[in-house]
Amino acid sequence: MNTTIVSFFTSNLGIEVTSLQAFLIFGFACFIVVNLCAVIGGLGTYAERKISADLQMRVGPNRVGPFGILQFLADGVKLVLKEVIVPTQADKVLFLIAPLLCMVGVFATLAVVPFSSGFILSDLNIGIFFLLGVSSLVGVGIFLGGYSSNSKWSMLGGMRGAAQIISYEVPVTLCILSIVVMAGGLSMTTLVEGQGGLPHQWYIFHNPFTFIGFFVFFIGILAETNRAPFDLPEAESELVSGYHTEYSGMAFSFFALAEYIEVFVVCGVASALYLGGYKVPFDLGNGVLISEITGAPAIVSNGIGQLLQAGSFFTKTFALYYVVIWIRWTLPRLRIDQLVSLCWKYLTPICIFNLIAIAIWMWAFEGHSIYDLFTTWLHSLGGGGGH
């Protein structure tokens, strides 16, 4: 079908349309992903309110739509209608660019997030480097938002944000490098394909050091996304509203939307690195077993497999999303000295130790997981008993 379409347009228009076709398909996929994640970000604000209400024995949003689920649309309409006010003494250009940098940094990371084996916008062979590079734009946007506002509260929030994000990029990157050492590649697909669909096949349970690394990574992404107990850049009890104190209307909503989409992205990355990503038990995702059981055509079984993979990815990601919200409404905010001390005195040394230990483990045990070693040991005991 694809070849027929290309040959039809080539013969009738007299030009090669393969590149145009690829551009249109990629553009359509980007449109779907961006809008889907925008909706997820909006629903994230609803989930935040509902989960916090449950934890505090309140009702939460319950007026707009069934169970208040349309509250995020009402908020969106309100923010669109509100005026974006630029303070007189602010640097207008930087003031307006800052929230856009946050949005661009977050949406660019979606290019390498593997929703399923057949749906990743760009499977770069240096996907991890790309992810770390473009996500750093969020820190630049936060700092510029505070700096350009010409407000003491905003400036303090921006400086805290810059210090926090730059600091916690170190343990997060070291945790990612540990998984890269195990998988033997920098592509996100390579990292996921090195795992299986069952929990004992995930990297989190591969060895004791990856188990520790997952929790260090999770703490790091909480700090990277400015989530409580690491929400010092905002710190509404101290800095009014932190780096976005002077922002209103859609400029403010860009910061908020970027935060909630970034939480989704980092939870997706955590599930891809440690929890098997889109992998489905018993290799149901490739469609072969489904085709053998049901006798369905390959295109149908492959489609079902892709849906199962996407379902697996989103289930793990939303479970982590829930934990992120849960932690916010459970733990008190740290002081800035406690935050920096946690990063440099504890998490970074642990990550360096883990990276070296994982490299030694992969060399000493030839890449086998602790589950493989345990089952081999049991088989050897069983064989010895038989003799």
Side-chain angles (χ1 to χ4, degrees), residues 37 40 115 260-268 314 317-318 321:
C37 289
I40 289 173
F115 299 100
Y260 282 95
I261 298 176
E262 188 181 16
V263 172
F264 170 76
V265 170
V266 295
C267 288
F314 281 106
T317 303
F318 287 141
Y321 205 120

Side-chain angles (χ1 to χ4, degrees), residues 155-176:
M155 185 63 184
L156 283 171
M159 292 298 290
R160 283 180 175 185
Q164 178 171 318
I165 292 173
I166 292 171
S167 297
Y168 277 85
E169 277 182 353
V170 175
V172 166
T173 303
L174 289 172
C175 287
I176 292 174

Side-chain angles (χ1 to χ4, degrees), residues 153 156-161 164 223 226-236 238-239 241-243 333-340:
W153 309 118
L156 283 171
M159 292 298 290
R160 283 180 175 185
Q164 178 171 318
N226 303 319
R227 298 287 302 184
F230 306 104
D231 58 337
L232 282 103
E234 298 175 25
E236 66 279 354
E238 307 163 24
L239 305 179
S241 187
Y243 62 92
R333 181 184 302 126
L334 273 67
R335 296 195 314 267
I336 186 68
D337 61 309
Q338 294 172 328
L339 179 137
V340 176

Side-chain angles (χ1 to χ4, degrees), residues 29 114-121 189 193 278 285 302 305-307 309-310:
F115 299 100
S116 73
S117 61
F119 190 50
I120 176 173
L121 291 178
T189 304
E193 289 296 332
Y278 55 74
N302 288 338
Q306 291 296 312
L307 288 175
Q309 288 184 348

Side-chain angles (χ1 to χ4, degrees), residues 45-319:
T45 64
Y46 170 78
E48 180 97 61
R49 297 177 187 181
K50 273 296 186 183
I51 294 170
S52 65
D54 289 340
L55 293 173
Q56 298 173 345
M57 297 182 69
R58 297 185 288 105
V59 177
N62 65 341
R63 297 294 179 186
V64 187
F67 306 104
I69 198 168
L70 299 180
Q71 183 64 51
F72 77 100
L73 289 178
D75 292 338
V77 172
K78 178 190 73 173
L79 289 166
V80 167
L81 296 177
K82 290 177 77 72
E83 181 184 1
V84 177
I85 299 172
V86 181
T88 306
Q89 300 299 318
D91 187 318
K92 186 174 182 180
V93 176
L94 294 181
F95 186 84
L96 296 177
I97 286 177
L100 296 178
L101 279 176
C102 290
M103 290 289 285
V104 169
V106 171
F107 278 121
T109 58
L110 297 172
V112 294
V113 175
F115 299 100
S116 73
S117 61
F119 190 50
I120 176 173
L121 291 178
S122 183
D123 186 16
L124 300 176
N125 58 356
I126 53 167
I128 285 295
F129 283 162
F130 176 84
L131 183 75
L132 293 171
V134 298
S135 62
S136 63
L137 287 175
V138 177
V140 177
I142 288 174
F143 174 73
L144 285 182
Y147 171 77
S148 63
S149 296
N150 197 25
S151 162
K152 291 180 177 63
W153 309 118
S154 301
M155 185 63 184
L156 283 171
M159 292 298 290
R160 283 180 175 185
Q164 178 171 318
I165 292 173
I166 292 171
S167 297
Y168 277 85
E169 277 182 353
V170 175
V172 166
T173 303
L174 289 172
C175 287
I176 292 174
L177 286 178
S178 301
I179 302 300
V180 169
V181 167
M182 295 174 61
L186 294 168
S187 165
M188 292 296 291
T189 304
T190 302
L191 301 181
V192 177
E193 289 296 332
Q195 304 172 76
L198 296 171
H200 69 269
Q201 299 170 320
W202 298 348
Y203 280 144
I204 184 176
F205 300 121
H206 187 279
N207 57 69
F209 309 108
T210 52
F211 185 76
I212 297 169
F214 169 75
F215 294 99
V216 174
F217 180 79
F218 193 75
I219 293 170
I221 62 177
L222 284 177
E224 284 270 290
T225 53
N226 303 319
R227 298 287 302 184
F230 306 104
D231 58 337
L232 282 103
E234 298 175 25
E236 66 279 354
S237 61
E238 307 163 24
L239 305 179
V240 185
S241 187
Y243 62 92
H244 51 60
T245 296
E246 305 298 335
Y247 284 87
S248 61
M250 285 304 291
F252 166 79
S253 71
F254 281 175
F255 279 121
L257 188 61
E259 176 186 331
Y260 282 95
I261 298 176
E262 188 181 16
V263 172
F264 170 76
V265 170
V266 295
C267 288
V269 171
S271 70
L273 292 177
Y274 288 96
L275 306 180
Y278 55 74
K279 282 290 187 173
V280 184
F282 314 115
D283 282 333
L284 291 173
N286 59 22
V288 176
L289 186 59
I290 296 173
S291 182
E292 291 176 356
I293 295 173
T294 63
I299 189 171
V300 175
S301 58
N302 288 338
I304 295 173
Q306 291 296 312
L307 288 175
L308 289 174
Q309 288 184 348
S312 174
F313 174 82
F314 281 106
T315 300
K316 297 168 186 173
T317 303
F318 287 141

